[in-house]
Amino acid sequence: MEKTYLTKKAVALTGLSVDTIRFYERKGLIEKVARDKNGYRQYSQQDIEWLKIIGYLRTLGVSIPEMQQFIHEHGNVESSYQQRLIFMENYQQIVGERIAKLTDIQQQLVIKVQLLKRMGNKL
């Protein structure tokens, strides 16, 4: 039997809020979540992993409509392997570009902070 998680644990595992998870459910970004006999949501490990990916994509700026379109167009696992791979590779490249840009900004900030500290020592 597959391990499942209640909403509170799903929140802890994904870093998403309850409201965010429910919003993603309403928007169709995750499949209908199973419920136990008391009506409590039961998130599968696959649900948890997908919620994490959705969170990462949102952090990258992928819009809800873009994700909905991706899921709609590429919902069939076997027929969409290549499209999903391309989609993920594109965002992998975007992450690399952002990291490079942030690294450059960080280096510039280090230089500016050092300069300001030297100036402060002279006052």
Side-chain angles (χ1 to χ4, degrees), residues 45-90:
Q45 187 61 44
Q46 184 176 352
D47 292 332
I48 298 298
E49 295 307 316
W50 182 241
L51 283 166
K52 287 178 184 178
I53 290 170
I54 292 170
Y56 301 151
L57 293 173
R58 289 295 293 143
T59 299
L60 288 171
V62 179
S63 70
I64 298 295
E66 285 176 301
M67 284 191 276
Q68 288 171 322
Q69 182 178 359
F70 174 76
I71 291 166
H72 175 72
E73 291 176 356
H74 310 297
N76 182 327
V77 174
E78 292 175 7
S79 68
S80 68
Y81 170 79
Q82 192 63 37
Q83 292 95 337
R84 287 184 295 131
L85 177 61
I86 291 168
F87 181 84
M88 292 299 179
E89 284 177 338
N90 287 340

Side-chain angles (χ1 to χ4, degrees), residues 13-68:
L13 291 171
T14 63
L16 302 171
S17 71
V18 172
D19 289 338
T20 298
I21 292 172
R22 300 260 167 77
F23 175 75
Y24 292 160
E25 287 177 32
R26 286 192 306 275
K27 292 297 183 179
L29 297 179
I30 61 173
E31 292 184 18
K32 188 136 179 89
V33 176
R35 293 182 182 256
D36 67 13
K37 64 182 178 184
N38 297 316
Y40 293 112
R41 287 173 171 83
Q42 298 287 308
Y43 295 92
S44 68
Q45 187 61 44
Q46 184 176 352
D47 292 332
I48 298 298
E49 295 307 316
W50 182 241
L51 283 166
K52 287 178 184 178
I53 290 170
I54 292 170
Y56 301 151
L57 293 173
R58 289 295 293 143
T59 299
L60 288 171
V62 179
S63 70
I64 298 295
E66 285 176 301
M67 284 191 276
Q68 288 171 322

Side-chain angles (χ1 to χ4, degrees), residues 96-110:
E97 291 167 0
R98 287 187 181 174
I99 289 171
K101 188 175 220 175
L102 289 171
T103 299
D104 182 53
I105 292 169
Q106 182 183 34
Q107 291 170 349
Q108 293 300 316
L109 287 171
V110 166

